[in-house]
Amino acid sequence: MPGFLLPASLPGLRFAPGGVRYDSAMIATFTDFGLAGPYLGQVRAVLYQRAPGVPVVDVFADLPAFNVRASAYLLPAYSQYLPAGSICLCVVDPGVGGERGALAVEADGRWYVGPDNGLLSQVIRRTAGVSVFSISWRPDTLSSSFHGRDLFAPVCAMLANGERPPGEPVDAVKLARPDWPEDLHEVVYVDSYGNAVTGLRATQLTSTSRVEIAGRVCGYRRTFCEAPPETPFWYANANGLVEIAVSGASAHTALGIDVGQDFRLIHSP
Amino acid sequence: MPGFLLPASLPGLRFAPGGVRYDSAMIATFTDFGLAGPYLGQVRAVLYQRAPGVPVVDVFADLPAFNVRASAYLLPAYSQYLPAGSICLCVVDPGVGGERGALAVEADGRWYVGPDNGLLSQVIRRTAGVSVFSISWRPDTLSSSFHGRDLFAPVCAMLANGERPPGEPVDAVKLARPDWPEDLHEVVYVDSYGNAVTGLRATQLTSTSRVEIAGRVCGYRRTFCEAPPETPFWYANANGLVEIAVSGASAHTALGIDVGQDFRLIHSP
Amino acid sequence: MPGFLLPASLPGLRFAPGGVRYDSAMIATFTDFGLAGPYLGQVRAVLYQRAPGVPVVDVFADLPAFNVRASAYLLPAYSQYLPAGSICLCVVDPGVGGERGALAVEADGRWYVGPDNGLLSQVIRRTAGVSVFSISWRPDTLSSSFHGRDLFAPVCAMLANGERPPGEPVDAVKLARPDWPEDLHEVVYVDSYGNAVTGLRATQLTSTSRVEIAGRVCGYRRTFCEAPPETPFWYANANGLVEIAVSGASAHTALGIDVGQDFRLIHSP
């Protein structure tokens, strides 16, 4: 995927010259729109119209609604396996229609486009050599409630078409949320099986670490197969985050835990 | 998108000569199939097989089930931003397997394909110079319960391939439902945030109009950001319909309103 | 769709020589991942990256969770209308991370890829001249919980690219589950309308057959239109399975039936 690695006129920036399309581009959506309703479909229609032939993948359509902080810790984990050249459309945007700005961030060969509300903060923080642009472009017609369709999707299409981000470079240091922790010791997502994904990277723990959550102590298991029934455990999920699960049951209901539930680490010798 | 604007042999009709494919064609689905289950997937498989390379976008998969009238008012609002040349597959079809006919409608450069049960009535009513065809073609094998897959999807694929609609022109005037109002003063959809979309176009109101619904009076706000918490308001949604919302809460639960709830307009001086 | 019908070096096998891509290939997913969450999206991203240009269709995203047996009877019914050359990615995999193997099955011109846990057993049993391969290939990085993304999706992409299945042929007879019946006289899926799909092929019944389920006797109706309101009936659904429904209502709630509910056939003279 050499597209985004071509020499560019601005030092430290890596984007393709205007007008070049890379066959391997892919647009991945990360939103809290939910699966129901007409929102994702309208975004896709804009993308297909403006960047024909570029595949669109809905990676996360049910990020925790209006929860920018939890979503900010999901984003790097669930985008890290996307191929270089991927363009991530990121929308958790409770302030839509207000004064918040818009960003395009180039990190590890991928683009991230979304509101300047902290959603991209952990991607920026964790990437060396990140490039951040403040998007100044606005469409002729901009609804007050659906910038995903009217603003962010067209910007993603521009990038997929090899155009430069329509705005000016800004200093990344100012944009990361320094008040948010490196890892978030909270549940950030509950999946359809009732497993509780946390904002903590599994690389921060060892197999002797334990997680105390909702009054229960969870030891480490490599897989569901190794866990005895009904016993809560933690494991490194397929995207590198600590996940709390109960074999054959829902951790969500068995432990009564949901997004926002915090926990404590017990590091054993 | 000149495809559908080429001169055609019948005056007033605009379709492409047989065999021509337009790169910019897009098929958009509007159905009450719901997201779960195998229905949309089977429709997509037919479309990909018969119109390879044409993108398919599910704009509305959860139109109110079996509710033809409410869906008829959503259809023009949520298809108006699709590019010219789009082909809308429209299925809310409680009478499937019975005697109702099938239609293809060309309106404002888009095609609409669906059952002749009133679903396309508001698209027809609101478009000058609309062309309506009664679809007489039937597949070799037609299930009694899934015309979306067996009948309407193949017709959409034909149109996407630049073929003529497989049927005869009919008089549009007879097909619109004259007993249905120009705008529907009812809730026609509740989205995943609990916002209540109505069948009333916002262009019919002014910023001093108020909506009385379920015993509450809602004033106008431009955006969610401008609305005080917990207070119901109306705004012009991103598709031009009047929408009832409560900032930071669900109008659906806060007001106890659902699809079918009617309301009254209060026009202030 | 001649691709998979080319002569191949092994008698009885039908795959395309390495390196050849067939334009008409399509990848269809059958999973219990559910629609919510980041699972299907990550699978799609792998497929688009490794088999660019091949359309991906999610036919069934909500197969009954962890229920391999019920899913095994849905799979042949809901894949039979896919075009020849389709590649079905099949994942209901409660034993992921354990010792179970992986299979690629060629049946009736389609490929099926999934765990060796009985999920593909009814496809194998019902197809004459089936070819079965044990997949020995493993990716460099294999998560313990998400073989759909890491193992099965890459194998599907290989097949879509015209490559041979990365493993060795094995004897099909050993793999079918002889302890599972030819047809399953149980509800195997409840759709979003509340209709109850069974594991029984409608070709096994006649129009005078009746189904006794949850204390109610259901006669045959050709369509919903022919059924009196509130009365449960059975019909041959659009995929050839016996389905229990109630016109204008949900059979799921009206009869209190769900996946796993068994029933009895009454064959009248």
Side-chain angles (χ1 to χ4, degrees):
Chain A
M1 179 63 101
F4 289 93
L5 303 174
L6 289 177
S9 54
L10 289 174
L13 299 186
R14 295 178 286 176
F15 45 72
V20 178
R21 164 79 64 76
Y22 298 98
D23 287 346
S24 44
M26 181 187 300
I27 297 172
T29 71
F30 294 79
T31 74
D32 69 345
F33 295 165
L35 293 142
Y39 305 117
L40 270 176
Q42 291 185 77
V43 165
R44 279 181 170 262
V46 170
L47 294 171
Y48 287 142
Q49 182 184 13
R50 294 185 174 230
V54 176
V56 180
V57 177
D58 299 323
V59 174
F60 238 123
D62 60 339
L63 287 170
F66 308 127
N67 193 330
V68 176
R69 196 176 67 147
S71 300
Y73 291 86
L74 288 163
L75 201 47
Y78 287 87
S79 61
Q80 66 182 310
Y81 294 109
L82 296 174
S86 295
I87 297 144
C88 301
L89 186 157
C90 310
V91 188
V92 179
D93 194 14
V96 64
E99 295 299 317
R100 65 102 187 87
L103 296 179
V105 174
E106 194 273 323
D108 284 339
R110 294 178 206 95
W111 283 103
Y112 297 81
V113 175
D116 184 9
N117 62 2
L119 181 61
L120 307 183
S121 61
Q122 303 312 306
V123 166
I124 292 170
R125 168 185 253 161
R126 294 180 185 174
T127 312
V130 69
S131 301
V132 182
F133 296 79
S134 176
I135 300 297
S136 51
W137 177 84
R138 292 294 179 275
D140 293 339
T141 306
L142 179 66
S143 68
S144 63
S145 57
F146 199 2
H147 289 197
R149 178 190 71 189
D150 298 338
L151 173 58
F152 301 121
V155 171
C156 288
M158 292 176 201
L159 295 170
N161 289 327
E163 296 174 28
R164 293 171 62 117
E168 294 305 313
V170 291
D171 184 355
V173 176
K174 290 188 193 160
L175 293 154
R177 292 278 307 239
D179 52 321
W180 288 357
E182 293 259 343
D183 288 86
L184 188 62
H185 292 203
E186 290 180 13
V187 173
V188 291
Y189 183 72
V190 175
D191 76 8
S192 59
Y193 304 107
N195 301 323
V197 181
T198 76
L200 172 60
R201 287 167 291 183
T203 51
Q204 308 296 98
L205 302 191
T206 71
S207 63
T208 61
S209 303
R210 286 173 296 163
V211 173
E212 184 181 340
I213 185 166
R216 301 289 290 272
V217 175
C218 306
Y220 168 76
R221 301 287 174 175
R222 193 182 62 83
T223 74
F224 281 72
C225 294
E226 293 178 0
E230 318 279 310
T231 310
F233 65 97
W234 75 265
Y235 76 111
N237 81 8
N239 289 77
L241 295 177
V242 170
E243 189 164 311
I244 310 296
V246 179
S247 186
S250 158
H252 170 59
T253 52
L255 305 183
I257 57 180
D258 213 332
V259 172
Q261 171 77 47
D262 62 359
F263 57 82
R264 197 171 69 90
L265 289 182
I266 306 171
H267 291 291
S268 304
Chain B
M1 179 63 100
F4 289 93
L5 303 175
L6 289 178
S9 54
L10 290 173
L13 300 186
R14 295 178 285 175
F15 46 72
V20 178
R21 163 81 63 79
Y22 297 97
D23 288 345
S24 46
M26 180 186 301
I27 298 172
T29 71
F30 294 80
T31 73
D32 69 346
F33 297 163
L35 293 142
Y39 305 117
L40 270 176
Q42 292 184 76
V43 165
R44 279 182 171 263
V46 169
L47 294 171
Y48 286 142
Q49 182 183 13
R50 295 185 174 231
V54 176
V56 180
V57 178
D58 298 323
V59 174
F60 238 125
D62 60 340
L63 288 170
F66 307 128
N67 192 332
V68 176
R69 195 176 68 147
S71 301
Y73 290 86
L74 288 163
L75 201 47
Y78 286 87
S79 60
Q80 66 182 309
Y81 294 109
L82 296 174
S86 295
I87 297 144
C88 301
L89 187 157
C90 310
V91 188
V92 179
D93 195 14
V96 62
E99 296 300 315
R100 65 99 189 87
L103 295 180
V105 174
E106 195 273 323
D108 283 340
R110 295 176 207 96
W111 283 103
Y112 298 80
V113 175
D116 184 8
N117 61 4
L119 182 60
L120 307 183
S121 61
Q122 303 313 306
V123 167
I124 293 171
R125 167 186 252 161
R126 293 180 186 175
T127 312
V130 69
S131 300
V132 182
F133 296 78
S134 175
I135 300 297
S136 51
W137 177 84
R138 291 295 179 274
D140 292 339
T141 306
L142 179 66
S143 68
S144 61
S145 58
F146 199 1
H147 289 196
R149 179 190 70 189
D150 299 337
L151 173 58
F152 300 121
V155 170
C156 287
M158 291 176 201
L159 295 170
N161 288 327
E163 298 175 26
R164 293 170 61 117
E168 295 305 313
V170 290
D171 184 356
V173 176
K174 291 189 194 161
L175 293 153
R177 292 277 308 238
D179 52 321
W180 289 357
E182 292 259 343
D183 289 84
L184 188 64
H185 292 206
E186 291 180 13
V187 173
V188 291
Y189 184 72
V190 174
D191 77 7
S192 59
Y193 304 106
N195 301 323
V197 181
T198 75
L200 172 60
R201 287 168 291 183
T203 51
Q204 310 295 99
L205 303 191
T206 72
S207 62
T208 60
S209 303
R210 286 174 296 162
V211 172
E212 183 181 340
I213 185 166
R216 302 288 290 272
V217 174
C218 306
Y220 167 76
R221 301 287 174 176
R222 193 183 61 85
T223 74
F224 281 72
C225 294
E226 293 178 359
E230 317 280 310
T231 308
F233 64 97
W234 76 264
Y235 76 113
N237 81 7
N239 289 76
L241 294 179
V242 169
E243 189 164 312
I244 310 297
V246 179
S247 187
S250 158
H252 169 60
T253 52
L255 304 183
I257 57 179
D258 213 332
V259 172
Q261 172 76 48
D262 60 0
F263 57 84
R264 195 171 69 91
L265 290 181
I266 306 171
H267 292 291
S268 303
Chain C
M1 178 63 98
F4 288 92
L5 304 174
L6 288 178
S9 54
L10 288 174
L13 300 186
R14 294 178 286 176
F15 45 71
V20 179
R21 164 80 63 76
Y22 298 97
D23 288 345
S24 44
M26 180 188 299
I27 296 173
T29 72
F30 294 80
T31 74
D32 68 345
F33 296 165
L35 293 142
Y39 305 117
L40 269 176
Q42 292 184 76
V43 165
R44 279 181 170 265
V46 169
L47 294 172
Y48 287 142
Q49 182 183 13
R50 296 186 173 228
V54 176
V56 181
V57 177
D58 298 323
V59 174
F60 238 123
D62 60 340
L63 288 169
F66 307 129
N67 193 332
V68 176
R69 196 176 67 146
S71 301
Y73 291 86
L74 288 163
L75 201 47
Y78 286 87
S79 60
Q80 65 182 311
Y81 294 110
L82 296 173
S86 295
I87 297 145
C88 301
L89 187 156
C90 309
V91 188
V92 179
D93 194 14
V96 63
E99 296 298 316
R100 65 100 189 87
L103 296 180
V105 173
E106 193 274 324
D108 283 339
R110 295 177 205 97
W111 283 103
Y112 297 82
V113 175
D116 183 9
N117 62 2
L119 182 60
L120 308 183
S121 61
Q122 303 313 306
V123 166
I124 293 171
R125 168 185 252 162
R126 293 181 185 173
T127 312
V130 68
S131 300
V132 182
F133 296 78
S134 176
I135 300 297
S136 51
W137 176 85
R138 292 295 179 274
D140 292 339
T141 305
L142 178 66
S143 68
S144 62
S145 58
F146 199 1
H147 289 197
R149 178 191 70 189
D150 299 337
L151 173 57
F152 300 121
V155 171
C156 288
M158 292 176 201
L159 296 170
N161 289 328
E163 297 174 29
R164 292 172 62 117
E168 295 304 313
V170 290
D171 184 355
V173 176
K174 290 188 194 162
L175 293 153
R177 292 278 308 240
D179 53 319
W180 289 357
E182 293 257 345
D183 289 84
L184 189 63
H185 292 204
E186 291 180 13
V187 173
V188 291
Y189 183 72
V190 174
D191 77 8
S192 59
Y193 304 107
N195 301 324
V197 181
T198 76
L200 172 60
R201 288 168 289 183
T203 50
Q204 309 295 98
L205 302 191
T206 70
S207 63
T208 60
S209 303
R210 286 175 295 163
V211 173
E212 184 181 340
I213 186 165
R216 302 287 291 270
V217 175
C218 306
Y220 168 77
R221 300 287 174 178
R222 192 182 63 84
T223 74
F224 281 72
C225 294
E226 294 178 359
E230 317 280 310
T231 309
F233 64 96
W234 77 264
Y235 76 112
N237 81 8
N239 289 77
L241 294 178
V242 169
E243 190 164 311
I244 310 295
V246 179
S247 187
S250 158
H252 170 60
T253 51
L255 305 184
I257 57 179
D258 213 332
V259 172
Q261 172 76 48
D262 61 1
F263 57 82
R264 195 170 69 90
L265 290 182
I266 305 171
H267 291 291
S268 304

